[in-house]
């Protein structure tokens, strides 16, 4: 579906062996794409899993900001698709991506997926609705919704900054709400953190982190709260 477009897929990973096979297998639908996994020092065989599936593996300092920036710098495609290692793009994602990248008016826009969780818990549906409303209304999709952007536009914006946390919010704020679009496909992400921390407590913690970011608190300080 994406053979006529030079697409690079970048996946940052750290000790992601539990989730990574499902993530990479879903991305195999873009067989003509350049595929780069950026490892932050895994000790669980994550790089070998990626290499066995034909992915190029590079190393970068630990942290999604530095890893995403390194992956983008190594990529050669005209379009960049950033996907977290614990996220599985739902069937039909490749057609949605192809439709977006082939539209000339999207050269200076970016796109994200609709958030979904890999949990049957009814509370997951409430968090999904709130997250997708936040993305639509305020132009604030998080990194677990993936991000699709033309390489030239990414470079003009300055790309991902090597932040300890909030690298996703930092970039989408520079893109701007008016230039963000939601694709008609889901990014199904792991519910592990929500199941561990609580379906109410985890979103409240995320909201607190966002508020602190807008208040000018450093990413290093926010990271201590987040974890």
């Amino acid at each position: 579906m994406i053979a006529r477009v030079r697409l690079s897929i970048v996946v940052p990973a750290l000790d992601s062996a539990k989730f990574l096979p499902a993530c990479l297998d879903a991305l195999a639908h873009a067989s003509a794409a350049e595929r780069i996994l950026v490892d932050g020092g895994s000790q669980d065989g994550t790089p070998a899993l990626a290499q066995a599936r034909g992915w190029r593996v590079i190393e970068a300092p630990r942290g999604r900001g530095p890893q995403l920036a390194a992956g983008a710098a190594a990529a050669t495609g005209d379009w960049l698709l950033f996907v977290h290692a614990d996220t599985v793009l739902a069937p039909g994602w490749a057609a949605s991506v192809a439709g977006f990248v082939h539209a000339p008016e999207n050269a200076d826009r970016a796109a994200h997926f609709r958030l979904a969780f890999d949990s049957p818990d009814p509370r997951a549906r409430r968090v999904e609705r709130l997250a997708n409303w936040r993305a639509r209304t305020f132009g604030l999709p998080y990194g677990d919704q993936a991000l699709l952007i033309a390489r030239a536009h990414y470079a003009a914006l300055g790309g991902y900054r090597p932040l300890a946390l909030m690298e996703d919010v930092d970039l989408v704020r520079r893109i701007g709400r008016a230039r963000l679009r939601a694709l008609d496909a889901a990014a199904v992400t792991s519910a592990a953190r929500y199941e561990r921390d609580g379906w109410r407590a985890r979103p409240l913690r995320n909201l607190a982190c966002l508020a602190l970011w807008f208040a000018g608190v450093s990413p290093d300080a926010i990271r201590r709260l987040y974890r």
Side-chain angles (χ1 to χ4, degrees):
M1 297 297 295
I2 312 177
R4 291 174 294 171
V5 173
R6 296 181 62 227
L7 176 72
S8 294
I9 305 174
V10 176
V11 175
L14 177 65
D15 293 329
S16 303
K18 178 180 178 181
F19 305 106
L20 193 62
C23 171
L24 301 189
D25 289 349
L27 294 171
H29 290 289
S31 57
E34 179 182 39
R35 296 173 290 175
I36 301 172
L37 182 129
V38 190
D39 188 66
S42 296
Q43 301 297 314
D44 67 346
T46 287
L49 282 172
Q51 290 169 334
R53 286 168 168 77
W55 283 65
R56 175 186 173 193
V57 175
I58 65 173
E59 296 180 357
R62 177 176 178 173
R64 280 207 177 111
Q67 288 174 244
L68 288 164
T76 62
D78 299 315
W79 283 82
L80 305 171
L81 175 61
F82 301 97
V83 183
H84 286 185
D86 62 352
T87 294
V88 177
L89 298 188
W93 74 266
S96 293
V97 167
F100 188 84
V101 303
H102 284 122
E105 65 271 20
N106 290 332
D108 61 352
R109 296 174 180 170
H112 58 85
F113 290 82
R114 182 177 67 255
L115 182 68
F117 289 108
D118 61 352
S119 170
D121 194 315
R123 293 172 295 181
R125 308 290 84 77
R126 290 195 290 270
V127 175
E128 289 168 0
R129 287 193 294 270
L130 287 171
N132 291 317
W133 173 81
R134 180 198 66 235
R136 290 193 310 271
T137 305
F138 299 107
L140 288 173
Y142 289 165
D144 52 11
Q145 292 177 254
L147 184 72
L148 174 67
I149 186 170
R151 181 183 182 85
H153 189 38
Y154 172 89
L157 292 169
Y160 280 108
R161 294 170 177 157
L163 302 176
L165 198 70
M166 309 301 287
E167 80 292 330
D168 47 2
V169 174
D170 175 67
L171 180 54
V172 297
R173 289 288 291 173
R174 281 180 279 138
I175 294 170
R177 179 167 62 93
R179 296 193 178 278
L180 279 166
R181 299 291 184 270
L183 298 176
D184 186 22
V188 183
T189 196
S190 170
R193 287 192 300 271
Y194 292 82
E195 292 169 343
R196 180 192 66 210
D197 299 338
W199 286 101
R200 184 183 299 271
R202 182 80 247 181
L204 289 174
R205 186 181 298 180
N206 291 344
L207 184 60
C209 291
L210 186 62
L212 290 171
W213 167 258
F214 283 118
V217 177
S218 74
D220 286 325
I222 297 172
R223 180 173 58 178
R224 289 193 288 272
L225 171 65
Y226 181 79
R227 291 182 175 175

